[in-house]
Amino acid sequence: MRSLTAIEELRLKVLTKNSVELTLIEPTETGLKKSIMDATGIVRNYLKEKSVHDYSVQNQGPQDKVIIEGSFIGEFKLISSKVSLYRPNTKKGDPRIWFSGLGKYANANDILALVWYSDLLYIMNLSQLPIEDLINSSVVNPLKDVVEDIQRDELSISNELLVMLRKVAQKPVLSMVDADTSVGRTLETALGIDINSSKKPDYKGIELKSFREKRGNRKTLFAQVPDWKLSQFKSSAEILDEFGYWREEDFKLYCTVSAINRNSQGLSLKVNSDINHLIENSDKPKVGDFVVWELEQLHSRLLEKHKETFWVSAESKFEDGKEYFQYKEVEHTKKPIVSQFDILLEQGVITLDHLIKRNSKDKVVEKGPLFKIKPNSLDLLFPPSEKHMLI
C-alpha cells in the first residue's frame, strides 16, 4: 500500500480518536478493471481477529468462495455491496477480496478503510470522504451514525462492568488464596469471570488488572516468553539452570530485570532499536546476550492485552488471620501509545520479572516473563484516563 497523504493521515487519526477499529486497503487500476484485489496481510489479520473470515482454512476454488454483506459509506447515503472472500485455483490460491460496485465508489489508488461492525463490513473512502466534517456535522449522515453506534456500544460495555464492580465493592471480599495474585483472582471470581490462561482480555474486550494499594507495586502489563529461535538459550529451563538459586526446598529464579542497572544475578535488559530487539544480557563472559524479544511482538501483545483496561485498586485488610479485599477505585485506560513502550523500557519504567521454578516433579514452571510498569506511570504509556470511585 502506498504512503498516506497528510489529509488521509488526518482522517485516519480522527477515526482512531473516535474508537473506530479498522484496516486499510488500496485498489489498483488493474484491480478495478479486473474486479480483483489482493487481501493483504493486514486485511486478513483484521478479518480473522474480528471473527469474520479466516483465509488460512479456506480451500481454493469458486465453490469455497465466501460472500458477506458490505456497505459503502457516502456523504449522504449507504450503498449496499457484496464482499467476496476467496482463494482462486491459480497463483497458489493467493487470498483475494472484492466489493461489488467498487468501481463507482473509488478511483485507482484511493485508500479505503474497512470497518466490521454489527455483522456488516463498512467501506469508506479515506481519500475522498470528509471524515472530520461528517462526524462533527449537526446534520444526520451515515458515517456519523456508524461512529456514534460504535462509541455507544463501547460505552455500554464499560458501564456494564463498572456497575458489576460497584456491586462487588459494597463489602470486603475474602481472599481466595494466600498469594500475591489473589487480589485479581478473587475479583474475577466475584464477578463470575472464568479464570484461565488465555491471552485475551477478561471481560468483553476489557482487561482487568487488580492490585493492592499502598504497596507501591508495579502493575503487570502482560506476559511474553522470548523468541527462542533468535535466542542463545532455547527454554526457561536453560535460564533457570544458569541463573537459578535455592530457597529452602525450591530451585528458582524470581527476579526483576531492568535496562538501567544489573540485578544481583548480573542480568540486565538492553533495547537495540536498529534491529528492533529487546535483549537480556548476563555479565558472565561465557553467556553475554542470551535471550531476545522482537519489539514488534511486544508491541502487538501490549495492544492485544490493553486496548481497553480497568486497573482496580484494593485495600487489603486482615481479620482473624484472613485477608479481605475492599475494592475501591478504577482507572480506565484505552489504546496504549506503542512508541512510548521502547522509551519506557530504556528508562527502567517498564521492567521484566522472571518467575521460574523447578517443582518437586522436576518440571520447570514459568509464570512469566512478566512485563511490568512502575506505579503511577500509566499516564506515560496511555492517553488520559478516567478514574471512578467504587465506594
mmCIF file of all heavy atoms in Angstrom, residues 116-144:
data_model
loop_
_atom_site.group_PDB
_atom_site.id
_atom_site.type_symbol
_atom_site.label_atom_id
_atom_site.label_comp_id
_atom_site.label_asym_id
_atom_site.label_seq_id
_atom_site.Cartn_x
_atom_site.Cartn_y
_atom_site.Cartn_z
ATOM 1 N N TRP A 116 -15.565 -3.492 10.394
ATOM 2 C CA TRP A 116 -16.559 -4.534 10.670
ATOM 3 C C TRP A 116 -17.341 -4.140 11.909
ATOM 4 O O TRP A 116 -16.793 -3.974 12.985
ATOM 5 C CB TRP A 116 -15.883 -5.882 10.893
ATOM 6 C CG TRP A 116 -16.859 -6.975 11.240
ATOM 7 C CD1 TRP A 116 -17.097 -7.507 12.469
ATOM 8 C CD2 TRP A 116 -17.729 -7.661 10.328
ATOM 9 N NE1 TRP A 116 -18.060 -8.480 12.398
ATOM 10 C CE2 TRP A 116 -18.473 -8.600 11.087
ATOM 11 C CE3 TRP A 116 -17.966 -7.575 8.954
ATOM 12 C CZ2 TRP A 116 -19.420 -9.450 10.521
ATOM 13 C CZ3 TRP A 116 -18.914 -8.415 8.394
ATOM 14 C CH2 TRP A 116 -19.622 -9.341 9.163
ATOM 15 N N TYR A 117 -18.639 -3.990 11.719
ATOM 16 C CA TYR A 117 -19.487 -3.620 12.858
ATOM 17 C C TYR A 117 -20.899 -4.137 12.634
ATOM 18 O O TYR A 117 -21.463 -3.967 11.546
ATOM 19 C CB TYR A 117 -19.513 -2.089 13.038
ATOM 20 C CG TYR A 117 -20.469 -1.638 14.120
ATOM 21 C CD1 TYR A 117 -20.203 -1.895 15.463
ATOM 22 C CD2 TYR A 117 -21.661 -0.991 13.793
ATOM 23 C CE1 TYR A 117 -21.091 -1.520 16.451
ATOM 24 C CE2 TYR A 117 -22.544 -0.603 14.785
ATOM 25 C CZ TYR A 117 -22.259 -0.874 16.102
ATOM 26 O OH TYR A 117 -23.144 -0.516 17.088
ATOM 27 N N SER A 118 -21.439 -4.771 13.649
ATOM 28 C CA SER A 118 -22.822 -5.249 13.637
ATOM 29 C C SER A 118 -23.112 -6.115 12.413
ATOM 30 O O SER A 118 -24.092 -5.905 11.695
ATOM 31 C CB SER A 118 -23.789 -4.054 13.687
ATOM 32 O OG SER A 118 -25.095 -4.466 13.969
ATOM 33 N N ASP A 119 -22.190 -7.079 12.160
ATOM 34 C CA ASP A 119 -22.349 -8.065 11.079
ATOM 35 C C ASP A 119 -22.372 -7.445 9.691
ATOM 36 O O ASP A 119 -23.002 -7.980 8.758
ATOM 37 C CB ASP A 119 -23.622 -8.897 11.283
ATOM 38 C CG ASP A 119 -23.566 -9.740 12.546
ATOM 39 O OD1 ASP A 119 -22.465 -10.193 12.895
ATOM 40 O OD2 ASP A 119 -24.612 -9.931 13.187
ATOM 41 N N LEU A 120 -21.701 -6.332 9.535
ATOM 42 C CA LEU A 120 -21.634 -5.656 8.237
ATOM 43 C C LEU A 120 -20.229 -5.081 8.056
ATOM 44 O O LEU A 120 -19.642 -4.558 9.010
ATOM 45 C CB LEU A 120 -22.672 -4.528 8.191
ATOM 46 C CG LEU A 120 -23.041 -3.945 6.820
ATOM 47 C CD1 LEU A 120 -23.756 -4.995 5.961
ATOM 48 C CD2 LEU A 120 -23.955 -2.737 6.998
ATOM 49 N N LEU A 121 -19.681 -5.225 6.839
ATOM 50 C CA LEU A 121 -18.380 -4.638 6.544
ATOM 51 C C LEU A 121 -18.595 -3.287 5.861
ATOM 52 O O LEU A 121 -19.035 -3.223 4.715
ATOM 53 C CB LEU A 121 -17.553 -5.553 5.639
ATOM 54 C CG LEU A 121 -16.088 -5.128 5.466
ATOM 55 C CD1 LEU A 121 -15.326 -5.230 6.784
ATOM 56 C CD2 LEU A 121 -15.391 -5.971 4.401
ATOM 57 N N TYR A 122 -18.309 -2.217 6.587
ATOM 58 C CA TYR A 122 -18.442 -0.869 6.036
ATOM 59 C C TYR A 122 -17.162 -0.502 5.293
ATOM 60 O O TYR A 122 -16.047 -0.768 5.755
ATOM 61 C CB TYR A 122 -18.700 0.145 7.146
ATOM 62 C CG TYR A 122 -20.077 0.034 7.767
ATOM 63 C CD1 TYR A 122 -20.276 -0.667 8.954
ATOM 64 C CD2 TYR A 122 -21.186 0.631 7.165
ATOM 65 C CE1 TYR A 122 -21.538 -0.771 9.521
ATOM 66 C CE2 TYR A 122 -22.451 0.530 7.720
ATOM 67 C CZ TYR A 122 -22.621 -0.170 8.897
ATOM 68 O OH TYR A 122 -23.867 -0.282 9.451
ATOM 69 N N ILE A 123 -17.336 0.139 4.146
ATOM 70 C CA ILE A 123 -16.196 0.599 3.346
ATOM 71 C C ILE A 123 -16.309 2.107 3.224
ATOM 72 O O ILE A 123 -17.340 2.625 2.779
ATOM 73 C CB ILE A 123 -16.204 -0.030 1.927
ATOM 74 C CG1 ILE A 123 -16.290 -1.559 2.013
ATOM 75 C CG2 ILE A 123 -14.968 0.400 1.151
ATOM 76 C CD1 ILE A 123 -17.635 -2.116 1.630
ATOM 77 N N MET A 124 -15.253 2.810 3.642
ATOM 78 C CA MET A 124 -15.269 4.267 3.496
ATOM 79 C C MET A 124 -14.019 4.722 2.763
ATOM 80 O O MET A 124 -12.926 4.205 2.991
ATOM 81 C CB MET A 124 -15.402 4.953 4.859
ATOM 82 C CG MET A 124 -14.295 4.696 5.848
ATOM 83 S SD MET A 124 -14.639 5.446 7.464
ATOM 84 C CE MET A 124 -15.800 4.275 8.146
ATOM 85 N N ASN A 125 -14.191 5.664 1.877
ATOM 86 C CA ASN A 125 -13.103 6.153 1.038
ATOM 87 C C ASN A 125 -12.348 7.243 1.798
ATOM 88 O O ASN A 125 -12.775 8.391 1.869
ATOM 89 C CB ASN A 125 -13.658 6.693 -0.283
ATOM 90 C CG ASN A 125 -12.572 6.890 -1.318
ATOM 91 O OD1 ASN A 125 -11.459 7.294 -0.994
ATOM 92 N ND2 ASN A 125 -12.898 6.609 -2.567
ATOM 93 N N LEU A 126 -11.206 6.856 2.344
ATOM 94 C CA LEU A 126 -10.408 7.781 3.148
ATOM 95 C C LEU A 126 -9.845 8.918 2.300
ATOM 96 O O LEU A 126 -9.568 10.003 2.808
ATOM 97 C CB LEU A 126 -9.262 7.008 3.819
ATOM 98 C CG LEU A 126 -8.743 7.503 5.161
ATOM 99 C CD1 LEU A 126 -9.826 7.400 6.222
ATOM 100 C CD2 LEU A 126 -7.530 6.698 5.600
ATOM 101 N N SER A 127 -9.702 8.676 1.009
ATOM 102 C CA SER A 127 -9.138 9.687 0.112
ATOM 103 C C SER A 127 -10.153 10.756 -0.258
ATOM 104 O O SER A 127 -9.777 11.896 -0.569
ATOM 105 C CB SER A 127 -8.609 9.034 -1.172
ATOM 106 O OG SER A 127 -7.647 8.050 -0.874
ATOM 107 N N GLN A 128 -11.448 10.415 -0.246
ATOM 108 C CA GLN A 128 -12.464 11.339 -0.734
ATOM 109 C C GLN A 128 -13.455 11.815 0.329
ATOM 110 O O GLN A 128 -13.991 12.923 0.223
ATOM 111 C CB GLN A 128 -13.253 10.676 -1.874
ATOM 112 C CG GLN A 128 -12.422 10.299 -3.090
ATOM 113 C CD GLN A 128 -13.267 9.739 -4.217
ATOM 114 O OE1 GLN A 128 -14.442 10.076 -4.354
ATOM 115 N NE2 GLN A 128 -12.682 8.882 -5.042
ATOM 116 N N LEU A 129 -13.723 11.013 1.311
ATOM 117 C CA LEU A 129 -14.767 11.321 2.276
ATOM 118 C C LEU A 129 -14.279 12.325 3.328
ATOM 119 O O LEU A 129 -13.240 12.099 3.960
ATOM 120 C CB LEU A 129 -15.200 10.017 2.969
ATOM 121 C CG LEU A 129 -16.642 9.878 3.440
ATOM 122 C CD1 LEU A 129 -17.628 10.043 2.285
ATOM 123 C CD2 LEU A 129 -16.846 8.523 4.114
ATOM 124 N N PRO A 130 -14.996 13.440 3.541
ATOM 125 C CA PRO A 130 -14.591 14.432 4.551
ATOM 126 C C PRO A 130 -14.928 13.925 5.962
ATOM 127 O O PRO A 130 -15.899 14.353 6.579
ATOM 128 C CB PRO A 130 -15.390 15.673 4.167
ATOM 129 C CG PRO A 130 -16.623 15.135 3.506
ATOM 130 C CD PRO A 130 -16.203 13.881 2.792
ATOM 131 N N ILE A 131 -14.106 13.041 6.448
ATOM 132 C CA ILE A 131 -14.390 12.301 7.685
ATOM 133 C C ILE A 131 -14.705 13.217 8.859
ATOM 134 O O ILE A 131 -15.741 13.073 9.531
ATOM 135 C CB ILE A 131 -13.195 11.390 8.053
ATOM 136 C CG1 ILE A 131 -12.868 10.408 6.918
ATOM 137 C CG2 ILE A 131 -13.458 10.669 9.370
ATOM 138 C CD1 ILE A 131 -13.869 9.337 6.696
ATOM 139 N N GLU A 132 -13.823 14.152 9.139
ATOM 140 C CA GLU A 132 -13.997 15.002 10.329
ATOM 141 C C GLU A 132 -15.255 15.850 10.227
ATOM 142 O O GLU A 132 -16.019 15.982 11.198
ATOM 143 C CB GLU A 132 -12.770 15.893 10.526
ATOM 144 C CG GLU A 132 -12.794 16.667 11.837
ATOM 145 C CD GLU A 132 -11.465 17.331 12.136
ATOM 146 O OE1 GLU A 132 -10.685 17.560 11.187
ATOM 147 O OE2 GLU A 132 -11.210 17.619 13.318
ATOM 148 N N ASP A 133 -15.503 16.423 9.055
ATOM 149 C CA ASP A 133 -16.698 17.258 8.869
ATOM 150 C C ASP A 133 -17.971 16.453 9.078
ATOM 151 O O ASP A 133 -18.928 16.933 9.700
ATOM 152 C CB ASP A 133 -16.700 17.865 7.460
ATOM 153 C CG ASP A 133 -15.605 18.909 7.265
ATOM 154 O OD1 ASP A 133 -15.052 19.375 8.288
ATOM 155 O OD2 ASP A 133 -15.302 19.236 6.102
ATOM 156 N N LEU A 134 -17.993 15.220 8.589
ATOM 157 C CA LEU A 134 -19.188 14.391 8.708
ATOM 158 C C LEU A 134 -19.440 13.974 10.160
ATOM 159 O O LEU A 134 -20.569 13.983 10.638
ATOM 160 C CB LEU A 134 -19.065 13.154 7.813
ATOM 161 C CG LEU A 134 -19.107 13.419 6.298
ATOM 162 C CD1 LEU A 134 -18.785 12.150 5.523
ATOM 163 C CD2 LEU A 134 -20.476 13.959 5.888
ATOM 164 N N ILE A 135 -18.365 13.597 10.870
ATOM 165 C CA ILE A 135 -18.525 13.176 12.267
ATOM 166 C C ILE A 135 -18.995 14.332 13.137
ATOM 167 O O ILE A 135 -19.826 14.163 14.035
ATOM 168 C CB ILE A 135 -17.206 12.585 12.811
ATOM 169 C CG1 ILE A 135 -16.922 11.226 12.149
ATOM 170 C CG2 ILE A 135 -17.249 12.424 14.329
ATOM 171 C CD1 ILE A 135 -15.613 10.599 12.541
ATOM 172 N N ASN A 136 -18.491 15.540 12.845
ATOM 173 C CA ASN A 136 -18.833 16.712 13.672
ATOM 174 C C ASN A 136 -20.070 17.460 13.172
ATOM 175 O O ASN A 136 -20.479 18.451 13.782
ATOM 176 C CB ASN A 136 -17.645 17.674 13.713
ATOM 177 C CG ASN A 136 -16.443 17.071 14.424
ATOM 178 O OD1 ASN A 136 -16.596 16.265 15.337
ATOM 179 N ND2 ASN A 136 -15.244 17.455 14.004
ATOM 180 N N SER A 137 -20.644 16.982 12.089
ATOM 181 C CA SER A 137 -21.788 17.681 11.497
ATOM 182 C C SER A 137 -23.025 17.626 12.395
ATOM 183 O O SER A 137 -23.253 16.638 13.100
ATOM 184 C CB SER A 137 -22.118 17.059 10.133
ATOM 185 O OG SER A 137 -23.287 17.636 9.597
ATOM 186 N N SER A 138 -23.804 18.698 12.374
ATOM 187 C CA SER A 138 -25.079 18.710 13.099
ATOM 188 C C SER A 138 -26.176 18.021 12.296
ATOM 189 O O SER A 138 -27.267 17.769 12.797
ATOM 190 C CB SER A 138 -25.499 20.158 13.393
ATOM 191 O OG SER A 138 -25.629 20.896 12.183
ATOM 192 N N VAL A 139 -25.855 17.709 11.036
ATOM 193 C CA VAL A 139 -26.809 17.036 10.144
ATOM 194 C C VAL A 139 -26.574 15.531 10.210
ATOM 195 O O VAL A 139 -25.432 15.050 10.164
ATOM 196 C CB VAL A 139 -26.643 17.532 8.697
ATOM 197 C CG1 VAL A 139 -27.609 16.804 7.768
ATOM 198 C CG2 VAL A 139 -26.855 19.032 8.625
ATOM 199 N N VAL A 140 -27.641 14.775 10.304
ATOM 200 C CA VAL A 140 -27.536 13.317 10.330
ATOM 201 C C VAL A 140 -26.922 12.806 9.030
ATOM 202 O O VAL A 140 -27.299 13.253 7.942
ATOM 203 C CB VAL A 140 -28.919 12.672 10.542
ATOM 204 C CG1 VAL A 140 -28.834 11.154 10.437
ATOM 205 C CG2 VAL A 140 -29.490 13.084 11.886
ATOM 206 N N ASN A 141 -25.941 11.880 9.139
ATOM 207 C CA ASN A 141 -25.336 11.277 7.961
ATOM 208 C C ASN A 141 -24.859 9.867 8.325
ATOM 209 O O ASN A 141 -24.700 9.540 9.507
ATOM 210 C CB ASN A 141 -24.188 12.148 7.427
ATOM 211 C CG ASN A 141 -23.058 12.309 8.424
ATOM 212 O OD1 ASN A 141 -22.263 11.389 8.622
ATOM 213 N ND2 ASN A 141 -22.987 13.484 9.067
ATOM 214 N N PRO A 142 -24.645 9.005 7.333
ATOM 215 C CA PRO A 142 -24.318 7.604 7.613
ATOM 216 C C PRO A 142 -23.059 7.405 8.453
ATOM 217 O O PRO A 142 -23.048 6.574 9.363
ATOM 218 C CB PRO A 142 -24.135 7.000 6.212
ATOM 219 C CG PRO A 142 -24.908 7.883 5.307
ATOM 220 C CD PRO A 142 -24.801 9.252 5.893
ATOM 221 N N LEU A 143 -21.998 8.165 8.160
ATOM 222 C CA LEU A 143 -20.756 7.994 8.906
ATOM 223 C C LEU A 143 -20.945 8.374 10.372
ATOM 224 O O LEU A 143 -20.509 7.657 11.285
ATOM 225 C CB LEU A 143 -19.630 8.827 8.286
ATOM 226 C CG LEU A 143 -18.281 8.744 9.007
ATOM 227 C CD1 LEU A 143 -17.748 7.314 9.014
ATOM 228 C CD2 LEU A 143 -17.258 9.692 8.369
ATOM 229 N N LYS A 144 -21.589 9.483 10.608
ATOM 230 C CA LYS A 144 -21.846 9.945 11.973
ATOM 231 C C LYS A 144 -22.652 8.893 12.750
ATOM 232 O O LYS A 144 -22.351 8.588 13.907
ATOM 233 C CB LYS A 144 -22.608 11.273 11.932
ATOM 234 C CG LYS A 144 -22.886 11.900 13.297
ATOM 235 C CD LYS A 144 -23.662 13.196 13.099
ATOM 236 C CE LYS A 144 -24.012 13.852 14.428
ATOM 237 N NZ LYS A 144 -22.819 14.430 15.075
#
